[in-house]
């Protein structure tokens, strides 16, 4: 939904900023690690400006979110609006949609249905998965803080997508699913890991739920939904 994605991030944000200005509200913007694109520095710190292809398939999301941040900072600077910007890294947990196309819902539902697991590319690309309750806690702390510059929130525990698939397979008993390799989507980021020094210092926040714990809870959720 490329055009809707562009409009939500840009026009939708503009409407909300106007509403917040009118009501004198504080506005927290859910930005994303996608503002860093396919990052050339690792791990990603907030000062990094990113490496985004504006006309690639992901550009509609990435550029809308970059515009969203720019607009939010402009309202902060020129109208004195109280704003917060969180850059959310990959997050997971119960109540993800089974068919949203992302890696974890895909892997869990494929394993539970005893289907093959679709890894895109050779699976060497990395992500760092944050359990949802940790993220919510961080967002709440940021909202209540007095810090208006962007803050990364995510779990720095980095893993390759191939190893992620294997961890999911290992969690589901008595299955014969194997990994099958599919074409890597264009502009798929090769590496992603948040530097959360700022969140630690400013919000006294860091993730508490390990991947093994979070994957177990999430696996139970998908089993229930799919049965
Ligand atoms: N991915 C995969 N198989 C799938 C869905 C995704 O190998 O069925 C890969 C995808 O190419 C990417 C990673 O898993 O490298 C994470 O994808 P996701 O869509 O979950 O998040 P994002 O790319 O936005 O970080």
């Amino acid at each position: 939904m490329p055009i809707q994605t562009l409009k939500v991030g840009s026009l939708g944000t503009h409407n909300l900023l106007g509403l917040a200005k009118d009501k004198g509200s504080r506005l927290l913007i859910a930005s994303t690690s996608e503002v860093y694109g396919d990052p050339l520095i690792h791990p990603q710190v907030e000062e990094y400006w990113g490496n985004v292809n504006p006309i690639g398939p992901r550009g509609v999301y990435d550029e809308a979110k970059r515009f969203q941040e720019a607009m939010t900072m402009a309202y902060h600077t020129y109208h004195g609006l109280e704003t917060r910007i969180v850059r959310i890294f990959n997050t997971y947990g119960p109540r993800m949609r089974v068919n949203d196309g992302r890696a974890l819902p895909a892997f869990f539902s494929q394993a539970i249905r005893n289907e093959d697991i679709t890894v895109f590319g050779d699976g060497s690309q990395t992500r760092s998965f944050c359990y949802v309750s940790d993220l919510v806690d961080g967002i709440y702390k940021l909202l209540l803080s007095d810090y208006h510059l962007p803050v990364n929130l995510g779990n720095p525990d980095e893993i390759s997508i191939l190893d992620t698939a294997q961890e999911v397979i290992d969690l589901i008993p008595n299955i014969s699913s194997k990994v099958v390799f599919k074409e890597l989507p264009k502009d798929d980021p090769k590496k992603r890991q948040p530097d959360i020094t700022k969140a630690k210092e400013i919000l006294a926040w860091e993730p508490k739920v390990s991947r093994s714990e979070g994957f177990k809870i999430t696996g139970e959720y998908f089993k229930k939904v799919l049965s």
Side-chain angles (χ1 to χ4, degrees), residues 102-185:
R102 286 184 288 171
L104 292 181
F107 293 171
F108 275 109
S109 57
Q110 288 162 344
I112 290 164
R113 292 169 170 147
N114 204 17
E115 296 166 1
D116 288 340
I117 311 290
T118 53
V119 165
F120 299 161
D122 64 4
S124 62
Q125 71 272 27
T126 68
R127 293 295 185 271
S128 308
F129 296 104
C130 184
Y131 189 69
V132 60
S133 60
D134 281 331
L135 185 85
V136 169
D137 180 44
I139 290 176
Y140 189 60
K141 287 186 163 137
L142 178 64
L143 178 66
L144 299 185
S145 78
D146 58 5
Y147 193 75
H148 71 277
L149 294 174
V151 177
N152 289 338
L153 290 181
N155 190 324
D157 189 7
E158 186 182 8
I159 182 173
S160 75
I161 291 301
L162 187 56
D163 289 345
T164 306
Q166 195 55 54
E167 285 191 3
V168 171
I169 291 172
D170 292 344
L171 258 180
I172 312 294
N174 306 321
I175 55 167
S176 53
S177 303
K178 57 182 191 321
V179 167
V180 293
F181 295 96
K182 304 266 178 189
E183 198 184 337
L184 187 68

